[in-house]
């Protein structure tokens, strides 16, 4: 049962070659494209450079509009050549306003500050501000701004550092742990200082023995514990990881923050260390390049905004006819145009021999999807309702709890792209609720207008009636007055007549 | 669950067909060539009828035929009916199963009823005589051919099934002890299907819920009846090894399309079929009740599924 020990998840066969854990610095790109899109807020960053302006590496080129947003830094030195809409690596193929910078090949940095090691004396808010200015976002995949996470957490009890890469083939965090163990542990010290948490758990999959050893060797803080989790797909998913480590089941609709748990990706932790100690903004990240068309899979340190083709060409694919996928084989997205730029959450690039997707057959309700679902949903039923656009029923079957991990799609014997149906149904639901909201507002407005008109009518009638009454009274008064005058006149007349 | 043995829909259907072979072999060993003729006739009919319907519905023929679902339906029907039934029985039954059991509803995956059992029920109601006359000795290829295609009847080699026979005798006032016999053929055919079913379980093509609950429901109901009066009701081990019990448990009731799809739902579905089978066998007018029990439970599937949704991760209740 789910209540006791969590045993769900699927073992995806790892057909990818093992990678040496060296990290190779990728040569500077000739051109970078940085999208101004901000994660988790609709307000884009506003450019603070003009076309033709020279910029330095690490210089802020766009500033956020709200408190969730982060600034955008140039990742190379050179000249701004365009500020226009560019395709971003997203399922939708959306075009977002971006800044293009041509490299001058020099990589001139903005003034680098000296190494700061007395960060433990600094104020928490100052540190969070540092993290914000370095534009650090969650590097695990969701890209949630780290400062917003740190600002929101209250009574933090546990920090979980997610060092698991449960999708087969991705090795960038493994390489990071083996090369930057000290930095990672330093980043953890900073997080402990900011949040005041009492314990830290670093979660590593049980097949990453070397990373485990290296981290254990450098770790001399009793508060920090390194735990192994099973090498299964979706073990690294936030809520499921918490279930594995702490046994706490985060209710649907709630976040770990509500339970005093802070989850950070291991690469984010290293980025925090760099931001605080050497004031280095997040302008590069480690990316695994692998896949069936790559003979020597490698981990590269790549500047954010480099194009996919720039990175792929470093690894020399053994064929010209390949498919590119960003992220893991399970949850990643297919990249059709390799000229577009990578973003901060690009952890892996798969270059696979071009293959035709099998044609989907009918669902035979075999139930394998339900067996594989880490959330224990019924994808076979959801599929019915999503396909027939019966959104109410789909919501009833907990459509919104789907984490889109693609386990069901992977196991489906009929090759149905189940998750695509669910994403579609979710967007339909969002549209429906939005329309419903708008309809509600319109109805309320209409009803208020009706009420207002009615009220005006009543008020007017009341006013008229009042006026009429007043007039009548006045007339009566006038008549009395006239009568009085008349009688007075008559009296005078009769008096005169008597005289 | 480990995924190194990922099968696609066609392969799943093909595996089920392979798993049926043990039971078919046992049937051949005891009753000869009849079953082979029936299966061949059924497969040919299903391919022809399905092709016609697919061309009417303007759907690709080859890819649909090769998903083996129609052929599987045909084979299931062929092993359910008497192996010496005249040829038009299986042709009619298969056509009915493919047309009214499957394509009328929109093809594979859309049928609310088990197509093979729908075909069987249709045949049993329409042609009770042909559907209850079974072979009781081994028939060679010539004899089988004569029986099936030339409609020759040999009274000496055919008769009612064991279930039918027992039922008649019980209704005549005989006691269980007087008439209790076992039939090697029935036991071995059931063992054949049981082994095939276990193979499917190991390959994770079917889940244990339905067969287990089915056999449990069947055993429990017959056990309770025989505890009430062991003279009037056959013991549970008789029911387990007679008729289409194992075929029903592992191959008929487990049809994924028309059965319940939630883990708890499958248990309820299987158990209820087991109970219904005994009720129909003991109190009903038909010798075996698998078809009717399955069809009755098919109707309840949407309801069962609705009320047995599993608890999801992070659910408040």
């Amino acid at each position: 049962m789910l209540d006791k020990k969590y045993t769900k998840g699927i073992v995806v066969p790892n057909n990818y070659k093992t990678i040496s854990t060296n990290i190779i610095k990728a040569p500077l790109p000739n051109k970078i494209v940085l999208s101004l899109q901000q994660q988790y807020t609709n307000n884009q960053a506003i450019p603070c450079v003009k076309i033709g302006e020279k910029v330095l590496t690490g210089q802020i080129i766009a500033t956020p509009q709200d408190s969730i947003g982060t600034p955008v830094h140039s990742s190379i030195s050179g000249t701004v050549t365009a500020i226009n809409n560019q395709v971003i690596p997203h399922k939708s193929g959306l075009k977002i306003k971006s800044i293009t910078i041509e490299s001058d090949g020099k990589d001139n940095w903005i003034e680098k500050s000296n190494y700061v090691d007395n960060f433990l004396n600094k104020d928490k808010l100052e540190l969070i501000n540092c993290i914000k200015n370095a534009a650090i976002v969650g590097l695990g995949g969701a890209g949630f701004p780290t400062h917003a996470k740190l600002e929101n957490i209250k009574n933090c009890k546990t920090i979980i550092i997610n060092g698991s890469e449960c999708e087969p083939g991705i090795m960038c965090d493994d390489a990071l742990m083996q090369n930057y163990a000290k930095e990672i542990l330093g980043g953890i010290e900073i997080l402990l200082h900011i949040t005041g948490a009492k314990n830290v758990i670093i979660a590593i999959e049980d097949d990453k023995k070397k990373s485990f050893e290296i981290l254990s060797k450098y770790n001399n803080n009793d508060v920090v514990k390194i735990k192994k989790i099973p090498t299964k797909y979706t073990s690294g998913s936030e809520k499921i990881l918490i279930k594995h480590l702490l046994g706490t089941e985060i209710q649907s609709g709630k976040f770990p923050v509500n339970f005093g748990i802070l989850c950070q990706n291991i690469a984010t932790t290293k980025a925090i260390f760099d931001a605080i100690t050497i004031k280095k903004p997040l302008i590069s990240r480690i990316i695994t390049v692998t896949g069936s068309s790559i003979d020597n899979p490698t981990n590269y340190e790549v500047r954010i905004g480099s194009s996919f083709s720039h990175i792929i060409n470093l690894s020399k694919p053994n064929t010209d006819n390949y498919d590119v996928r960003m992220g893991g084989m399970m949850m990643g997205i297919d990249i059709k145009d390799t000229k577009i730029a990578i973003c901060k959450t690009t952890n892996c690039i798969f270059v696979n021999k071009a293959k035709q997707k099998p044609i989907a057959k009918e669902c035979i309700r075999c139930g394998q999807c339900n067996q594989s679902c880490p959330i224990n949903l019924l994808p076979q039923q959801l599929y019915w309702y999503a396909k027939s656009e019966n959104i109410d029923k789909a919501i009833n079957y907990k459509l919104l709890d789907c984490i889109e991990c693609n386990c069901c799609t992977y196991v489906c014997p009929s090759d149905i792209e189940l998750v695509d149906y669910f994403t579609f149904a979710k967007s339909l639901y969002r549209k429906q609720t939005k329309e419903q909201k708008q309809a509600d507002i319109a109805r309320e407005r209409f009803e208020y207008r009706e009420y207002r008109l009615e009220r005006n009518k009543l008020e007017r009638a009341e006013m008229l009636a009042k006026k009429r009454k007043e007039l009548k009274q006045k007339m009566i008064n006038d008549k009395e007055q006239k009568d009085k005058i008349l009688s007075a006149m008559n009296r005078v007349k009769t008096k005169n007549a008597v005289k | 669950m480990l995924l190194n043995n990922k099968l696609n829909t066609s392969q799943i259907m093909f595996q089920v067909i392979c798993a049926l072979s043990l039971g078919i072999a046992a049937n051949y060993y005891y009753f000869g060539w009849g079953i082979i003729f029936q299966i061949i006739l059924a497969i040919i009919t299903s391919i022809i009828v399905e092709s016609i319907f697919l061309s009417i519905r303007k759907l690709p023929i080859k890819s649909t035929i090769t998903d083996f679902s129609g052929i599987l339906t045909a084979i299931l029907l062929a092993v359910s009916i008497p192996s010496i039934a005249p040829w038009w029985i299986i042709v009619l039954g298969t056509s009915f199963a493919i047309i009214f059991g499957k394509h009328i509803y929109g093809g594979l995956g859309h049928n609310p009823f088990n197509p093979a059992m729908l075909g069987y029920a249709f045949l049993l109601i329409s042609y009770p005589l042909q559907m209850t006359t079974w072979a009781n000795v081994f028939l060679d290829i010539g004899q089988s051919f004569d029986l099936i295609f030339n409609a020759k009847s040999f009274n000496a080699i055919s008769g009612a099934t064991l279930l039918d026979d027992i039922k008649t005798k019980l209704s005549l006032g005989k006691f269980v002890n007087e008439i209790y016999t076992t039939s090697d053929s029935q036991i071995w055919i059931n063992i054949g299907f049981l082994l095939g079913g276990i193979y499917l379980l190991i390959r994770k093509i079917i889940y244990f819920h339905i067969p287990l609950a089915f056999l449990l429901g069947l055993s429990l109901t017959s056990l309770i009846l025989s505890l009430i009066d062991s003279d009037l009701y056959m013991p549970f081990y008789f029911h387990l090894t007679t008729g289409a019990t194992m075929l029903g448990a592992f191959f008929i009731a487990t049809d994924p399309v028309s059965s319940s799809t939630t883990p708890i739902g499958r248990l309820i579905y299987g158990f209820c079929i087991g109970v219904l089978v005994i009720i129909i066998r003991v109190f009903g007018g038909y010798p075996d009740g698998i078809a009717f029990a399955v069809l009755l439970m098919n109707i309840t599937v949407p309801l069962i599924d609705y009320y047995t949704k599993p608890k999801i991760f992070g659910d408040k209740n």
Side-chain angles (χ1 to χ4, degrees), chain A residues 249 252 365 380 396 410 414, chain B residues 6 9 259 261 309 313-314:
Chain A
E249 200 167 303
S252 82
R365 309 200 335 146
Q380 68 271 48
N396 192 279
Y410 185 83
S414 291
Chain B
K6 191 191 169 186
T9 306
S259 69
T261 191
K309 281 177 272 184
F313 185 89

Side-chain angles (χ1 to χ4, degrees), chain B residues 279-311:
Chain B
I279 291 175
I280 296 169
R281 273 186 188 177
V282 175
F283 304 107
Y286 293 102
D288 204 348
I290 308 260
F292 294 110
V294 168
L295 291 174
L296 278 172
M297 287 312 292
N298 283 164
I299 308 171
T300 66
V301 161
L303 191 74
I304 295 176
D305 282 351
Y306 186 80
Y307 286 106
T308 55
K309 281 177 272 184
K311 179 190 169 296

